[in-house]
Amino acid sequence: MIPPASVVEYDARWPIWFAEIRDGLSPYLEGIPHTIEHVGSTAVPGLAAKPIIDVDVVVSRADLVPPAVAAMVAAGYQHEGDLGITGREAFTLPPGTAHYHHLYVVVEGNKPHQDHVLLRDRLRANAADRERYAALKRELAHLLTTDRAAYVEAKAGLVEEILRRAAQSS
């Protein structure tokens, strides 16, 4: 499945798509204490975003990561390791996936999980940050078809600034 390469206006279907993804994952995680969270831009009402649902499977302890990874593999995902972000296990999608999404397994409260939640919650609560972030994403959207890494890198400074402010106010 090819990742969407555009920034679009908020779509009220995104929470529904997340719920469908969550409901499809839950049976595989039976017996593993976990929560499944909608994170990323599609989890922020009113925020322009790439139509990619970001999903964190959150386990309470590090020793639960291997069984959660195995459960995602059993669900048809391919484990990709941490992709350079320690504490976050990433996956590629199974064939025939209905909604494009990023899937991660994280430990509750570790840095990747905390960053996902802080950014999401700050953007939900702060209209000025939400609009600045949306404007930057729209400005950089042309990079999605030629250099996705440059798109991510160009957003990094603002993301770090928003995360700093979110951490200070929490």
Side-chain angles (χ1 to χ4, degrees):
M1 183 177 256
I2 298 170
S6 61
V7 173
V8 299
E9 294 307 311
Y10 180 79
D11 188 327
R13 294 176 298 173
W14 292 340
I16 297 165
W17 295 353
F18 163 73
E20 291 172 4
I21 295 163
R22 180 197 62 216
D23 293 349
L25 295 173
S26 291
Y28 292 94
L29 292 158
E30 195 170 309
I32 301 169
H34 72 281
T35 59
I36 302 175
E37 294 189 44
H38 188 186
V39 295
S41 296
T42 61
V44 180
L47 180 60
K50 296 182 309 296
I52 298 172
I53 309 300
D54 289 326
V55 179
D56 277 356
V57 172
V58 184
V59 295
S60 59
R61 304 181 319 265
D63 66 309
L64 295 173
V65 170
V69 167
M72 296 302 88
V73 170
Y77 291 83
Q78 182 177 344
H79 184 218
E80 295 185 296
D82 68 12
L83 299 179
I85 299 178
T86 302
R88 181 192 81 175
E89 298 299 318
F91 299 84
T92 58
L93 301 177
T97 300
H99 306 296
Y100 196 91
H101 58 283
H102 293 155
L103 177 66
Y104 307 105
V105 171
V106 296
V107 175
E108 183 176 7
N110 75 357
K111 182 164 176 27
H113 179 239
Q114 195 172 42
D115 286 352
H116 286 168
V117 171
L118 279 172
L119 183 63
R120 177 199 64 199
D121 292 353
R122 175 70 182 203
L123 292 172
R124 283 177 174 173
N126 189 292
D129 282 345
R130 186 171 52 249
E131 198 42 54
R132 281 181 65 210
Y133 191 46
L136 180 61
K137 289 164 62 148
R138 287 183 192 106
E139 177 185 324
L140 299 171
H142 69 280
L143 293 172
L144 289 169
T145 57
T146 58
D147 192 346
R148 289 180 92 82
Y151 172 84
V152 171
E153 185 177 320
K155 293 187 319 173
L158 180 58
V159 168
E160 288 303 318
E161 176 189 325
I162 294 169
L163 284 171
R164 265 192 313 279
R165 283 202 308 276
Q168 290 168 351
S169 63
S170 65

